[in-house]
Amino acid sequence: MLKAEIFVYLKKSISDPPGIAVLNSLKSLGFDSVEKVRMGKYIVVYLNENDIEKAKEQVKLMCEKLLCNPVMEEYKFNISEE
Amino acid sequence: MKFGVVVFPGSNCDSDCFHVIKDVINEDVEYIWHGSGEKLTGFDCIILPGGFSYGDYLRAGAIARFSKVMPRIEEFAQNGGLVIGICNGFQILTESHLLPGALIRNKNLKFICSDQYVKVVNPDTPFTNLYKEGEVINLPIAHGEGNYVVDEETLKQMIQNQQIVLQYCDKYGNVNEGTNPNGSILNIAGICNKEKNVFGLMPHPERSSEKILGCEDGNRVFLSIVNYLKSR
């Protein structure tokens, strides 16, 4: 069994309203050093697969087809043995 | 002429659209279940209504976009059929790349439910031909993710091709940051594809199509479709 941890986040050029809200909240709590906050999604997919290369290909396809909208989002992922 | 209203699990404006077509503008209309993969023959216009499609928890419209009905709608649109997506229907159309861009969370993070003035930028479409250029109309909005985003290059092309159909404004037609309810780029409320046969908008014209609802401004979206189909 392999575990893919997928991070989907908005492209740098897209404004991130939830990120701005959290930034303002952190600042109001006194965390003055916080410059920027970006929010994203963390998705874990378990695969019945032992070949890491095959799993990478599959996860890439999953991201490009469904998990990420390439118009506004980017993604990265890590694969490890569960 | 015949309209089809697609029903996804979670759609809640399907009955409103059905009612407007059947009882207000008196045209033939049929529901289409999202899981139906049947060819869309005999229809002149397909409506993707608002509400919430299942799978919005990933992104609005992301999973609905892979419903069996969607390849049939793509086929229908490619053959010149008219497709209109309202609110969640608009989000599904962008997810399925029938319209450019995407819709993200409203700038103020709030679900907005209010009346909104909207300017008709392009009356030269099958969906807006009964409005005047620059006309200000009043349509209700009800959405949490209506903040339209698109890359600069695509936006330039959209402007060139006159794909921006509706913009949020005030009652005098002023389009600026102060008259933008959700942070949408260029105050965009509705767009069409290059060919002008696919239209998506966040406001709900079906909710302002009868006097009893307090406003009839949305009615002409549906009457424009009829007008276009009759004159074709």
Side-chain angles (χ1 to χ4, degrees), chain A residues 2-36:
Chain A
L2 291 175
K3 177 182 171 186
E5 293 173 285
I6 304 162
F7 303 87
V8 179
Y9 42 93
L10 287 169
K11 284 181 180 173
K12 275 186 187 159
S13 57
I14 305 283
S15 74
D16 177 10
I20 294 167
V22 173
L23 167 73
N24 292 337
S25 189
L26 286 172
K27 281 201 180 285
S28 72
L29 287 170
F31 294 104
D32 297 329
S33 60
V34 181
E35 279 291 316
K36 200 175 180 182

Side-chain angles (χ1 to χ4, degrees), chain A residues 10 14-15 17-18 21 41 43 65-69 71-73, chain B residues 58-59 62-63 66 95 97 101-102 104-107 109 147 149:
Chain A
L10 287 169
I14 305 283
S15 74
K41 294 185 194 101
I43 303 164
K65 194 161 186 189
L66 177 67
L67 303 178
C68 168
N69 178 347
V71 174
M72 58 176 174
E73 293 171 327
Chain B
L58 180 62
R59 285 185 314 278
I63 292 177
F66 289 104
E95 278 290 333
H97 309 300
I104 64 166
R105 290 282 289 276
N106 295 343
K107 200 177 172 186
L109 297 174
N147 185 346
V149 294

Side-chain angles (χ1 to χ4, degrees), chain B residues 119-195:
Chain B
K119 189 180 201 166
V120 181
V121 183
N122 186 0
D124 191 20
T125 79
F127 311 92
T128 50
N129 58 69
L130 293 178
Y131 295 101
K132 292 190 193 86
E133 188 176 347
E135 186 176 347
V136 176
I137 57 174
N138 193 3
L139 300 178
I141 53 170
H143 58 245
E145 291 172 55
N147 185 346
Y148 182 76
V149 294
V150 66
D151 66 83
E152 269 179 44
E153 189 47 44
T154 313
L155 185 64
K156 264 188 212 165
Q157 287 170 15
M158 287 169 66
I159 294 169
Q160 258 176 16
N161 298 326
Q162 297 181 303
Q163 287 172 253
I164 298 168
V165 181
L166 303 172
Q167 281 177 308
Y168 301 113
C169 66
D170 64 13
K171 64 177 171 182
Y172 306 107
N174 294 311
V175 174
N176 54 48
E177 214 185 315
T179 64
N180 188 339
N182 55 25
S184 217
I185 195 163
L186 289 182
N187 283 41
I188 285 175
I191 58 163
C192 63
N193 62 346
K194 263 189 229 165
E195 294 76 18

Side-chain angles (χ1 to χ4, degrees), chain B residues 60-72:
Chain B
I63 292 177
R65 172 250 185 285
F66 289 104
S67 285
K68 279 188 184 168
V69 76
M70 290 312 294
R72 302 280 85 87

Side-chain angles (χ1 to χ4, degrees), chain B:
Chain B
M1 69 197 58
K2 192 169 175 182
F3 287 74
V5 177
V6 182
V7 182
F8 294 93
S11 294
N12 59 35
C13 304
D14 43 351
S15 303
D16 307 60
C17 289
F18 191 95
H19 163 70
V20 170
I21 305 300
K22 185 171 179 278
D23 304 317
V24 181
I25 69 164
N26 302 309
E27 295 293 342
D28 197 6
V29 57
E30 200 177 284
Y31 285 121
I32 301 166
W33 179 240
H34 81 108
S36 162
E38 281 174 38
K39 211 171 154 68
L40 299 171
T41 44
F43 291 99
D44 298 290
C45 178
I46 301 295
I47 302 175
L48 275 75
F52 295 88
S53 56
Y54 70 113
D56 279 355
Y57 29 81
L58 180 62
R59 285 185 314 278
I63 292 177
R65 172 250 185 285
F66 289 104
S67 285
K68 279 188 184 168
V69 76
M70 290 312 294
R72 302 280 85 87
I73 289 178
E74 282 165 37
E75 208 173 79
F76 179 80
Q78 275 158 14
N79 292 330
L82 300 184
V83 179
I84 171 171
I86 300 164
C87 200
N88 191 228
F90 182 16
Q91 293 161 339
I92 296 170
L93 288 177
T94 58
E95 278 290 333
S96 58
H97 309 300
L98 282 167
L99 288 173
L103 293 133
I104 64 166
R105 290 282 289 276
N106 295 343
K107 200 177 172 186
N108 63 6
L109 297 174
K110 289 178 183 156
F111 185 95
I112 311 166
C113 184
S114 67
D115 282 342
Q116 171 67 45
Y117 289 108
V118 173
K119 189 180 201 166
V120 181
V121 183
N122 186 0
D124 191 20
T125 79
F127 311 92
T128 50
N129 58 69
L130 293 178
Y131 295 101
K132 292 190 193 86
E133 188 176 347
E135 186 176 347
V136 176
I137 57 174
N138 193 3
L139 300 178
I141 53 170
H143 58 245
E145 291 172 55
N147 185 346
Y148 182 76
V149 294
V150 66
D151 66 83
E152 269 179 44
E153 189 47 44
T154 313
L155 185 64
K156 264 188 212 165
Q157 287 170 15
M158 287 169 66
I159 294 169
Q160 258 176 16
N161 298 326
Q162 297 181 303
Q163 287 172 253
I164 298 168
V165 181
L166 303 172
Q167 281 177 308
Y168 301 113
C169 66
D170 64 13
K171 64 177 171 182
Y172 306 107
N174 294 311
V175 174
N176 54 48
E177 214 185 315
T179 64
N180 188 339
N182 55 25
S184 217
I185 195 163
L186 289 182
N187 283 41
I188 285 175
I191 58 163
C192 63
N193 62 346
K194 263 189 229 165
E195 294 76 18
K196 313 270 190 293
N197 65 316
V198 180
F199 177 44
L201 72 167
M202 287 315 294
H204 286 266
E206 78 282 7
R207 292 189 191 172
S208 61
S209 286
E210 288 174 274
K211 257 192 190 146
I212 197 169
L213 299 174
C215 180
E216 293 178 291
D217 284 355
N219 199 358
R220 276 179 285 159
V221 168
F222 305 101
L223 290 172
S224 290
I225 296 170
V226 174
N227 187 42
Y228 170 83
L229 291 168
K230 276 186 180 160
S231 62
R232 196 167 53 166

